[in-house]
Amino acid sequence: MNEKLHEIKKMLQEDGYKLTPQREATVRILLEKDKEHLSAEDIYMLVKDKAPDIGLATVYRTLELLSELRIVHKLNFGDGVARYEITSDDEGHHHHHIVCLECGKLEEFEDDLLEEIEKRIESTKNFQIVDHRLSFFGYCKDCKDKPKSERPKMKIE
């Protein structure tokens, strides 16, 4: 974790920013919870334990800055809540997500099956792809067998 934190500090400095104690506390939470998809409010509640003087607005500003600098990915799964995760070390590509429309469970999958499509787009459209995002929406193993009448009509934005 310290190596990744040092890397992030360097990235901030290259763009003229400092790794303030508030930013460091936020980044540490994201690194510690790297398999979770935390909202700004989730992060705030966890950061508050480490830095009691931090405010929710500071966490939001920090997340927006980190997102602009591509240190974190800001994710939207159609439920109106932005979630955040540290950008992976893989240049340009990262994992994808499956989202349960009933319980909201979120899972990651690593298979990147889009390489051929990317190559085709790049060659036919003369477009350099640097990243992509893919999410699948449906029902998890716990929710898929419930009768359709019991399933909420979750709207995907």
Side-chain angles (χ1 to χ4, degrees):
M1 178 166 61
N2 286 334
E3 183 179 318
K4 185 71 175 175
L5 188 63
H6 178 71
E7 190 180 309
I8 290 169
K9 181 178 181 179
K10 186 177 174 187
M11 292 168 75
L12 284 165
Q13 288 172 339
E14 287 172 358
D15 283 301
Y17 296 98
K18 293 181 181 178
L19 183 62
T20 63
Q22 295 88 351
R23 289 177 184 154
E24 183 174 342
T26 303
V27 168
R28 282 187 181 278
I29 292 299
L30 288 164
L31 291 170
E32 289 170 10
K33 306 286 185 180
D34 68 336
K35 296 297 179 200
E36 298 180 38
H37 300 84
L38 301 172
S39 69
E41 291 81 8
D42 295 333
I43 294 166
Y44 168 69
M45 296 307 290
L46 294 166
V47 168
K48 196 131 180 70
D49 291 339
K50 295 177 186 258
D53 58 328
I54 197 167
L56 180 58
T58 300
V59 171
Y60 271 108
R61 284 192 303 272
T62 298
L63 292 170
E64 284 304 311
L65 173 66
L66 296 173
S67 180
E68 287 172 23
L69 298 177
R70 295 181 183 242
I71 295 170
V72 301
H73 283 293
K74 183 177 182 178
L75 306 166
N76 183 339
F77 296 110
D79 60 359
V81 177
R83 292 180 179 80
Y84 300 86
E85 66 183 6
I86 291 284
T87 303
S88 72
D89 292 331
D90 299 336
E91 189 65 35
H93 292 90
H94 58 90
H95 57 269
H96 302 294
H97 301 94
I98 55 176
V99 182
C100 180
L101 293 170
E102 181 160 339
C103 68
K105 182 178 178 182
L106 218 119
E107 287 188 51
E108 299 175 353
F109 67 95
E110 300 291 332
D111 295 346
D112 190 355
L113 306 173
L114 299 178
E115 287 182 29
E116 288 301 315
I117 294 171
E118 285 183 356
K119 288 176 187 172
R120 185 171 169 196
I121 292 169
E122 286 183 337
S123 68
T124 61
K125 299 295 183 183
N126 193 24
F127 186 83
Q128 181 185 3
I129 296 174
V130 296
D131 197 3
H132 65 261
R133 305 230 168 99
L134 181 63
S135 297
F136 291 97
F137 298 88
Y139 297 97
C140 70
K141 64 180 179 179
D142 297 325
C143 297
K144 70 178 184 174
D145 294 328
K146 291 182 180 178
K148 288 184 181 182
S149 61
E150 292 180 23
R151 293 182 183 166
K153 305 262 189 287
M154 185 174 167
K155 182 179 170 187
I156 301 173
E157 296 173 355

